[in-house]
Coordinates of all heavy atoms in Angstrom, one line a residue:
F1 N 0.9 -1.2 0.0 CA 0.0 0.0 0.0 C 0.9 1.3 0.0 O 1.1 1.8 1.1 CB -0.9 0.0 1.2 CG -1.8 -1.2 1.3 CD1 -1.5 -2.2 2.2 CD2 -3.0 -1.3 0.6 CE1 -2.3 -3.3 2.4 CE2 -3.7 -2.4 0.7 CZ -3.4 -3.4 1.6
P2 N 1.3 1.7 -1.2 CA 2.1 2.9 -1.2 C 1.4 4.2 -0.7 O 2.1 5.1 -0.3 CB 2.5 3.0 -2.7 CG 1.5 2.2 -3.4 CD 1.1 1.1 -2.5
S3 N 0.1 4.1 -0.7 CA -0.7 5.3 -0.3 C -0.6 5.6 1.2 O -0.9 6.6 1.7 CB -2.2 5.2 -0.7 OG -2.7 4.0 0.0
L4 N 0.0 4.6 2.0 CA 0.1 4.7 3.4 C 1.3 5.5 3.8 O 1.6 5.8 4.9 CB 0.2 3.3 4.1 CG -1.1 2.5 4.1 CD1 -0.9 1.2 4.8 CD2 -2.2 3.3 4.9
G5 N 2.1 6.0 2.8 CA 3.2 6.9 3.0 C 4.3 6.2 3.9 O 4.9 5.2 3.5
I6 N 4.5 6.8 5.0 CA 5.6 6.4 5.9 C 5.5 5.0 6.4 O 6.4 4.2 6.6 CB 5.8 7.4 7.1 CG1 7.2 7.1 7.8 CG2 4.7 7.3 8.1 CD1 7.5 8.1 8.9
L7 N 4.2 4.5 6.6 CA 3.9 3.2 7.0 C 4.4 2.2 6.0 O 4.9 1.1 6.3 CB 2.5 3.0 7.4 CG 1.9 3.8 8.6 CD1 0.4 3.5 8.7 CD2 2.7 3.3 9.8
S8 N 4.1 2.5 4.7 CA 4.6 1.6 3.6 C 6.1 1.7 3.5 O 6.8 0.7 3.2 CB 4.0 2.1 2.3 OG 4.4 1.3 1.2
R9 N 6.7 2.8 3.7 CA 8.2 3.0 3.6 C 8.9 2.2 4.7 O 10.0 1.8 4.5 CB 8.5 4.5 3.7 CG 8.1 5.3 2.5 CD 8.5 6.8 2.7 NE 9.9 6.9 2.8 CZ 10.6 7.9 3.4 NH1 9.9 8.8 4.0 NH2 11.9 7.9 3.4
L10 N 8.2 2.0 5.9 CA 8.8 1.2 6.9 C 9.2 -0.2 6.5 O 10.1 -0.8 6.9 CB 7.8 1.1 8.1 CG 7.8 2.3 9.1 CD1 6.6 2.1 10.0 CD2 9.0 2.4 9.8
A11 N 8.3 -0.7 5.5 CA 8.5 -2.1 5.0 C 9.4 -2.2 3.8 O 9.7 -3.3 3.3 CB 7.2 -2.7 4.7
D12 N 9.9 -1.0 3.3 CA 10.7 -1.0 2.1 C 12.2 -1.1 2.4 O 12.8 -0.3 3.1 CB 10.4 0.3 1.3 CG 10.7 0.2 -0.2 OD1 11.8 -0.4 -0.5 OD2 9.9 0.7 -1.0
H13 N 12.9 -2.1 1.7 CA 14.3 -2.3 1.9 C 15.1 -1.4 0.9 O 16.3 -1.3 1.1 CB 14.7 -3.8 1.6 CG 14.1 -4.7 2.7 ND1 14.7 -4.9 3.9 CD2 13.0 -5.5 2.6 CE1 14.0 -5.8 4.6 NE2 13.0 -6.2 3.9
S14 N 14.5 -0.8 -0.1 CA 15.3 0.0 -1.0 C 15.7 1.3 -0.4 O 15.0 1.9 0.4 CB 14.5 0.2 -2.3 OG 13.4 1.1 -2.1
L15 N 16.9 1.7 -0.8 CA 17.5 3.0 -0.3 C 16.7 4.2 -0.9 O 16.7 5.3 -0.3 CB 18.9 3.1 -0.7 CG 19.9 2.1 0.0 CD1 21.3 2.3 -0.4 CD2 19.8 2.1 1.5
E16 N 16.0 4.0 -2.1 CA 15.3 5.0 -2.7 C 14.0 5.4 -2.0 O 13.6 6.5 -1.8 CB 15.0 4.7 -4.2 CG 16.2 4.5 -5.1 CD 17.0 3.2 -4.9 OE1 16.3 2.3 -4.3 OE2 18.1 3.1 -5.2
N17 N 13.3 4.3 -1.5 CA 12.0 4.5 -0.9 C 11.9 4.2 0.6 O 11.0 4.7 1.3 CB 11.0 3.6 -1.7 CG 10.9 4.0 -3.2 OD1 10.9 5.1 -3.5 ND2 10.9 2.9 -4.0
G18 N 12.9 3.4 1.1 CA 12.8 3.0 2.5 C 13.3 4.1 3.4 O 13.8 5.2 2.9
I19 N 13.2 3.9 4.7 CA 13.7 4.9 5.7 C 15.1 4.6 6.1 O 15.4 3.6 6.8 CB 12.8 5.0 6.9 CG1 11.4 5.3 6.4 CG2 13.3 6.0 7.9 CD1 10.4 5.2 7.6
V20 N 16.1 5.3 5.6 CA 17.5 5.0 5.8 C 18.0 5.4 7.2 O 17.7 6.6 7.6 CB 18.4 5.6 4.7 CG1 19.9 5.3 4.9 CG2 18.0 5.2 3.3
I21 N 18.6 4.5 7.9 CA 19.1 4.9 9.3 C 20.6 4.9 9.4 O 21.2 5.5 10.3 CB 18.5 3.9 10.3 CG1 18.7 2.4 9.9 CG2 17.0 4.1 10.4 CD1 18.3 1.4 11.0
L22 N 21.2 4.1 8.5 CA 22.7 4.0 8.5 C 23.2 3.9 7.0 O 22.3 3.5 6.1 CB 23.2 2.8 9.3 CG 23.1 2.9 10.8 CD1 23.4 1.6 11.5 CD2 24.0 4.1 11.4
P23 N 24.4 4.1 6.7 CA 24.9 4.0 5.3 C 24.5 2.6 4.6 O 25.0 1.5 5.0 CB 26.3 4.1 5.4 CG 26.6 4.9 6.7 CD 25.5 4.4 7.6
G24 N 23.5 2.6 3.7 CA 23.1 1.4 3.0 C 22.0 0.6 3.8 O 21.6 -0.4 3.2
M25 N 21.6 1.1 4.9 CA 20.7 0.3 5.7 C 19.4 1.0 6.0 O 19.4 2.2 6.4 CB 21.3 -0.1 7.0 CG 20.6 -1.0 7.9 SD 21.5 -1.4 9.4 CE 20.5 -2.8 10.0
T26 N 18.2 0.4 5.8 CA 16.9 0.9 6.1 C 16.4 0.3 7.4 O 16.9 -0.7 7.9 CB 15.9 0.7 5.0 OG1 15.6 -0.7 4.9 CG2 16.5 1.3 3.7
I27 N 15.3 0.9 7.9 CA 14.7 0.3 9.1 C 14.2 -1.1 8.9 O 14.4 -2.0 9.8 CB 13.4 1.2 9.5 CG1 13.9 2.5 10.2 CG2 12.6 0.4 10.5 CD1 12.8 3.4 10.7
A28 N 13.7 -1.4 7.7 CA 13.2 -2.7 7.4 C 14.3 -3.8 7.5 O 14.1 -5.0 7.8 CB 12.6 -2.8 6.0

């Protein structure tokens, strides 16, 4: 569900769309 915005981004492993927390690493 991309329409959920940040909730959907929480589940995204990609650096382009996910939430990046460290170099090369997303929350997911």
Side-chain angles (χ1 to χ4, degrees):
F1 303 101
S3 61
L4 287 178
I6 192 170
L7 291 178
S8 179
R9 292 178 63 205
L10 280 172
D12 203 317
H13 292 280
S14 71
L15 298 178
E16 294 77 20
N17 300 316
I19 301 175
V20 179
I21 55 175
L22 289 170
M25 186 178 195
T26 66
I27 285 182

